Amino acid sequence: MDAGASALQQSITLKQAKKLVQCMAHEQSFLLLSPPGVGKSEMVYQAAAEAGLPCRSLLGTQIAPEDVSGVPKIVGERSVFCPPRILLPEIPQTFCLFLDELPACAPDVQKAFYSLLLERRLGEHALPAGTWVIAAGNRQQDRALVRAMSSALVNRVTILNLRVDADEWQDWARKAGIRADIRNYISFMPDALMREVPHDPQPFSTPRAWAELSQALDMAEAAGILSRDTRRALAFGRLSAEDAAVFCALAEETVGTLAPVEGYIEHPDTLPKGETARWFILNAIRQNVAAGRLGKVKPRAVARFLRGLPTEAQLTLLTDLVEQWGALGADKAMLALLRTVTKQ
């Protein structure tokens, strides 16, 4: 059963999911689904830490059924199953139990979790009152070796389909010390934060990939070995090829701090002179127009900006977005461009 695909449009952000977890995970079990690299695990650890709960995790791909139900022990004339300490600590203290990669578990392991997810119980042993039980994993369409989940398992959890939110990520990235050049790139190209999972096993851009690249660049810079070649090797080893190429080209042009998109429209003379950086800014403007995020720019500034660009650049910005640019007040500029192109 593909639980992720059927509820894809009912997705929520990591911040929204964290609030739900903190609100009701003491009573209901959750299954967090998303593509790889979104930040599910970190969100669970953060939610537990904020609630003052220790977090214990099990990796679904590395456990057997007996790691859940426990091994038998003879007590008198009866056998008693002894659950592992990580699931049932000797001191009955409330904690957060994180079952990572649950959809990748073998069917018999998934079955072993049934009573744990629904009743907070391991055989005859109950978890400490108030304990959280949270599972996470990837979706079948993510090509991440995910197994089909039984209806019995799906019916025992609340499934939350997670999506990446660029604004939330920027807030986290500033606090986490992510490099300014990476934050600038994502602010202009929000779609680059999370690319589609490729059909072939090759690097692709995710929040985790950008964070790891930031750390790698910092370490290479601190060691004095960050050069054009090492930057490209690290970027292409982590990101989607198109993001790696543009990110590195921008770094090589030494663009510096990028201004907000609206600033380039209101002051077109501040557009970078370098071809790559200039293309990058124009493409970002096009994406913002398509997403309807430039409603605060004055029509006069929009018209002046378009008229000041070369014909080829205007055509690139306007293609398939005539209606959106018209709503921003670019009607006269588009008419002038039409006359130029048709030589009327």
Side-chain angles (χ1 to χ4, degrees):
M1 175 180 179
D2 188 351
S6 62
L8 186 58
Q9 295 185 352
Q10 286 74 46
S11 61
I12 59 176
T13 68
L14 286 169
K15 187 175 182 179
Q16 292 170 327
K18 185 172 75 170
K19 290 181 179 178
L20 287 175
V21 164
Q22 292 175 325
C23 174
M24 58 189 73
H26 64 291
E27 291 286 348
Q28 296 190 14
S29 299
F30 287 94
L31 172 57
L32 313 176
L33 295 178
S34 79
V38 166
K40 301 182 292 296
S41 300
E42 182 172 345
M43 184 274 285
V44 173
Y45 290 126
Q46 188 180 77
E50 291 177 1
L53 297 178
C55 190
R56 299 184 178 91
S57 63
L58 281 177
L59 192 61
T61 53
Q62 297 180 2
I63 60 177
E66 56 269 22
D67 294 326
V68 181
S69 58
V71 295
K73 175 183 178 181
I74 301 299
V75 178
E77 297 182 355
R78 292 178 174 84
S79 62
V80 177
F81 280 84
C82 302
R85 184 175 291 143
I86 192 171
L87 293 179
L88 198 66
E90 295 170 348
I91 300 176
Q93 178 188 20
T94 302
F95 66 100
C96 170
L97 176 59
F98 180 40
L99 309 174
D100 202 3
E101 297 189 12
L102 178 64
C105 292
D108 53 347
V109 176
Q110 292 186 12
K111 186 176 180 180
F113 282 126
Y114 283 1
S115 61
L116 182 64
L117 292 167
L118 184 62
E119 303 169 355
R120 311 300 172 89
R121 179 175 293 278
L122 293 166
E124 61 188 49
H125 304 280
L127 295 181
T131 293
W132 296 3
V133 179
I134 305 170
N138 303 128
R139 309 163 303 172
Q140 284 189 321
Q141 63 264 41
D142 296 322
R143 293 178 283 281
L145 300 179
V146 172
R147 302 172 187 265
M149 292 186 291
S150 71
S151 58
L153 175 61
V154 170
N155 196 242
R156 282 168 162 78
V157 295
T158 297
I159 295 178
L160 300 179
N161 289 275
L162 307 183
R163 69 173 183 270
V164 171
D165 182 88
D167 291 334
E168 282 188 11
W169 185 85
Q170 288 285 2
D171 290 339
W172 171 85
R174 279 189 290 270
K175 297 174 184 176
I178 301 300
R179 293 170 61 93
D181 51 357
I182 288 179
R183 289 188 279 110
N184 283 337
Y185 186 91
I186 299 301
S187 70
F188 271 80
M189 300 281 283
D191 292 343
L193 182 58
M194 184 78 224
R195 297 295 188 185
E196 291 291 329
V197 179
H199 290 281
D200 300 322
Q202 56 185 312
F204 63 103
S205 302
T206 67
R208 178 168 60 203
W210 284 108
E212 294 291 340
L213 175 62
S214 176
Q215 183 184 43
L217 292 173
D218 283 344
M219 289 190 291
E221 199 167 51
I225 59 172
L226 183 59
S227 63
R228 177 185 183 277
D229 290 341
T230 54
R231 179 187 289 107
R232 284 181 169 268
L234 292 171
F236 278 88
R238 276 288 180 184
L239 308 175
S240 300
E242 63 268 30
D243 291 324
V246 177
F247 175 77
C248 291
L250 287 172
E252 291 155 16
E253 284 192 1
T254 60
V255 178
T257 302
L258 297 171
V261 172
E262 295 85 354
Y264 292 108
I265 296 178
E266 295 170 353
H267 305 285
D269 56 306
T270 61
L271 282 169
K273 304 303 180 184
E275 183 178 346
T276 300
R278 192 178 182 87
W279 170 87
F280 177 72
I281 299 297
L282 293 178
N283 188 53
I285 291 173
R286 175 179 166 81
Q287 289 193 18
N288 276 267
V289 171
R293 292 193 289 258
L294 292 181
K296 295 182 180 180
V297 181
K298 295 181 180 180
R300 183 179 300 176
V302 171
R304 185 175 63 249
F305 169 74
L306 286 175
R307 286 175 172 171
L309 295 175
T311 299
E312 296 78 6
Q314 292 186 59
L315 289 172
T316 298
L317 288 175
L318 294 172
T319 300
D320 297 327
L321 294 177
V322 171
E323 184 177 345
Q324 290 87 336
W325 280 104
L328 293 174
D331 291 343
K332 292 183 179 179
M334 290 190 291
L335 180 59
L337 175 62
L338 178 62
R339 289 172 176 168
T340 300
V341 173
T342 58
K343 297 181 180 181
Q344 291 183 359

